[in-house]
Amino acid sequence: MVTVMSAVNGIDIPKNMQVSLQTSNKRDAVLGVSTASETTEAEPTAIDAHPSPLWTRIRAYCREAFSEFFGTLILVLFGNGVVAQVVLSNNQKGDYQSISWGWGLGVMLGVYVSGISGSHLNPAVTFAMCVLRKFPWRKWPVYAISQLLGGMSAAAIVYGNYKSAIDTYEGGPGIRTVPGYSDTASAGIFCTYPAEFMTRTGQFFSEFVASSILMFVIFALIDKGNMGAGPFMPLGMFFTIFGIGACFGWETGYAINLARDFGPRLVSYMLGYGTEVWKAGNYYFWVPVVAPFFGCTFGGWLYDMFLYVGSDSPVNMPYLGLRRLVRPDAEKHHEAHSRA
């Protein structure tokens, strides 16, 4: 028998092995690894000849949005769920520490679910990533809407699950009250309400500080040049949220997230809790909407200013990146100079 040989990368390969090599190379390319220095166009198969199903194409296009939606859904499901259990059982099935644990677990599991999109789960976090990590601005509305809808859906699910318990706790199926207006208010299950002694300035500062801590630690956890959490990122986020809740959560409920607070608040209004959901705490509702954006951006900037050395932060660009506002091409020149 005569074996026909051909050379691949200077090595004589029997011809009858070439087909298996081509198949192996194609498989490896799908995994993001190529073992061949040259690729060979494979003939289209019968499967390749048919267009992919419509839902497959839709899912591929919207996958990041779906990821943020379900990640935030899981976060709020566990968070609102634990608050419901503690409140409606009159602290018989948990206490404040249980709430800190529940929110921490919700964030951890939400991060696991939404790894495809980067696990932002918070419009303020996405905003800070756009400002300080070159995350595309065009994605911010998509992420924010997905996160908001995820929070709203979770609140509706929790309400449906605990409706009978809420009826019993409030005193009847048609009674729905808000903290500050009733001793048996259940609206606090879905969104945050400040302590009665809190001033408007104190409300804002509390949310600002908690949001700053959140973003500062997130940047530390993702910074490979520092230590970075790597595969332990979800666990790191668990302890971050647990710590914020246990140490800074009493005064305003540590909302630190528009999607976690405004979305469920809107759902509670739609479910019959009335306009008091907006009036309570001297119209506190806007504080967890606005303060997290300032807090997360400041916390991220603080980390970059003193600890981060990556070139993707504007803090590490000439004039702290402000030149981009005057000369849009300044960033390109800086990147070219850094590569040189």
Side-chain angles (χ1 to χ4, degrees):
M1 178 182 294
V2 178
T3 302
V4 180
M5 309 289 286
S6 63
V8 178
N9 292 338
I11 303 175
D12 291 334
I13 303 295
K15 192 170 185 179
N16 58 1
M17 293 177 61
Q18 293 179 25
V19 175
S20 62
L21 279 174
Q22 291 175 357
T23 303
S24 175
N25 290 339
K26 183 177 181 181
R27 181 194 67 227
D28 291 338
V30 173
L31 299 174
V33 179
S34 177
T35 56
S37 59
E38 298 180 4
T39 58
T40 305
E41 288 292 334
E43 295 183 3
T45 63
I47 296 178
D48 296 333
H50 295 287
S52 58
L54 176 60
W55 175 246
T56 302
R57 298 197 300 272
I58 294 174
R59 182 177 59 195
Y61 185 76
C62 302
R63 200 164 177 231
E64 289 184 335
F66 292 157
S67 174
E68 287 296 311
F69 172 86
F70 283 108
T72 309
L73 176 77
I74 293 296
L75 186 162
V76 179
L77 271 179
F78 278 81
N80 281 0
V82 70
V83 177
Q85 184 163 294
V86 171
V87 170
L88 300 178
S89 70
N90 291 300
N91 288 2
Q92 297 300 307
K93 302 298 181 182
D95 52 21
Y96 183 80
Q97 285 296 86
S98 302
I99 294 174
S100 297
W101 282 100
W103 278 107
L105 287 169
V107 170
M108 181 183 74
L109 297 175
V111 170
Y112 273 120
V113 167
S114 58
I116 295 166
S117 59
S119 303
H120 293 187
L121 311 182
N122 184 336
V125 170
T126 305
F127 182 85
M129 295 294 287
C130 290
V131 173
L132 297 166
R133 287 296 184 274
K134 297 182 180 179
F135 189 76
W137 281 104
R138 59 183 171 77
K139 290 187 177 184
W140 185 86
V142 177
Y143 273 51
I145 292 173
S146 300
Q147 293 154 358
L148 182 64
L149 293 177
M152 293 178 68
S153 300
I157 293 171
V158 170
Y159 179 82
N161 185 71
Y162 283 101
K163 184 179 184 301
S164 297
I166 292 173
D167 292 343
T168 302
Y169 182 78
E170 288 268 25
I175 304 174
R176 296 292 182 266
T177 57
V178 174
Y181 295 87
S182 168
D183 293 333
T184 56
S186 61
I189 291 171
F190 307 102
C191 53
T192 61
Y193 292 90
E196 294 182 2
F197 61 82
M198 292 294 289
T199 64
R200 182 71 60 80
T201 302
Q203 293 170 3
F204 189 93
F205 187 71
S206 178
E207 286 293 304
F208 177 86
V209 169
S211 301
S212 298
I213 294 171
L214 172 67
M215 203 68 218
F216 188 92
V217 175
I218 287 176
F219 273 6
L221 291 173
I222 64 176
D223 184 4
K224 297 179 181 178
N226 184 355
M227 180 181 290
F232 295 103
M233 180 69 181
L235 187 62
M237 289 305 303
F238 165 78
F239 284 111
T240 301
I241 298 301
F242 176 83
I244 291 174
C247 304
F248 296 94
W250 171 44
E251 295 180 322
T252 58
Y254 66 109
I256 58 178
N257 187 342
L258 179 156
R260 167 267 180 275
D261 193 84
F262 182 79
R265 190 183 301 272
L266 181 59
V267 169
S268 67
Y269 172 75
M270 296 165 62
L271 291 172
Y273 281 88
T275 57
E276 286 80 11
V277 302
W278 313 112
K279 297 177 181 178
N282 194 19
Y283 292 90
Y284 162 80
F285 80 92
W286 68 268
V287 174
V289 172
V290 177
F293 285 94
F294 286 94
C296 284
T297 304
F298 176 76
W301 173 85
L302 199 65
Y303 183 85
D304 284 8
M305 191 70 180
F306 294 97
L307 298 175
Y308 189 60
V309 296
S311 61
D312 54 339
S313 173
V315 170
N316 297 322
M317 296 178 62
Y319 304 101
L320 300 180
L322 296 178
R323 184 185 295 183
R324 292 181 299 174
L325 301 177
V326 180
R327 292 179 53 196
D329 61 334
E331 182 176 346
K332 296 180 180 178
H333 288 306
H334 174 69
E335 291 179 350
H337 179 72
S338 297
R339 287 193 297 267

